Amino acid sequence: MFLWLPREYDKALLDRLLARRKIVGECWEWTGTQVWAPGHRGGYGQTTIQGKHALVHKVMADLVHLPVGGPHVLHTCDNPPCFNPAHLFRGTNHENVLDAVAKGRHESGDRHNHLKTHCPAGHPYSEDNTYTWRGSRRCKICL
């Protein structure tokens, strides 16, 4: 079942994590507390270790000695509650952003605002009703 042998003193923590998993397909979803993740149906699993909050997928990556490839722990399955070590890999911030863009999760900045068809007051962003300044759109009616 496991492709690694945890150090003896990590066994209690590993057992604690595995007791809170629900197997969904190939993912091990965390059934405990979750913190919100933008654009996903669920959040990242969160646990407490020595009185401090920790993200479960990062704890698992440390427990199984996931090779260092950057400070972030990314998911191949794109499922934030998953902490299956077979679905985790380390990467840099740049690799994390590229992964999000490739999977269609990067909905911020200009791309996100470009998808908006109306201003916050509900007026359409039409050619006649829109000022463009420094890459931002402004509604003429509201101005």
Side-chain angles (χ1 to χ4, degrees):
M1 180 169 161
F2 299 107
L3 302 175
W4 72 93
L5 294 172
R7 295 181 305 238
E8 212 36 57
Y9 59 88
D10 291 338
K11 182 145 179 27
L13 178 57
L14 179 64
D15 289 343
R16 195 174 104 200
L17 296 181
L18 294 179
R20 300 297 301 262
R21 76 177 168 176
K22 177 175 105 180
I23 298 176
V24 179
E26 294 181 7
C27 290
W28 298 356
E29 291 191 354
W30 181 250
T31 61
T33 302
Q34 293 183 358
V35 292
W36 182 73
H40 291 283
R41 69 181 188 282
Y44 293 99
Q46 182 177 354
T47 191
T48 304
I49 300 175
Q50 297 177 344
K52 296 185 179 181
H53 295 295
L55 295 174
V56 175
H57 67 290
K58 291 184 175 188
V59 172
M60 182 59 83
D62 290 340
L63 277 174
V64 301
H65 309 290
L66 203 62
V68 175
H72 296 280
V73 177
L74 291 70
H75 292 83
T76 58
C77 60
D78 205 29
N79 183 9
C82 179
F83 64 104
N84 181 345
H87 295 183
L88 304 176
F89 65 101
R90 292 194 189 270
T92 64
N93 188 60
H94 182 71
E95 291 166 333
N96 193 20
V97 171
L98 290 177
D99 185 55
V101 169
K103 293 175 179 172
R105 287 186 288 104
H106 201 265
E107 293 290 334
S108 63
D110 293 336
R111 180 171 179 250
H112 176 69
N113 287 326
H114 184 71
L115 298 174
K116 295 177 182 176
T117 59
H118 291 74
C119 77
H123 305 121
Y125 281 130
S126 64
E127 195 172 317
D128 296 333
N129 184 42
T130 306
Y131 285 120
T132 303
W133 183 71
R134 292 187 180 182
S136 296
R137 295 180 295 172
R138 307 276 188 223
C139 173
K140 288 182 181 179
I141 296 171
C142 292
L143 290 174

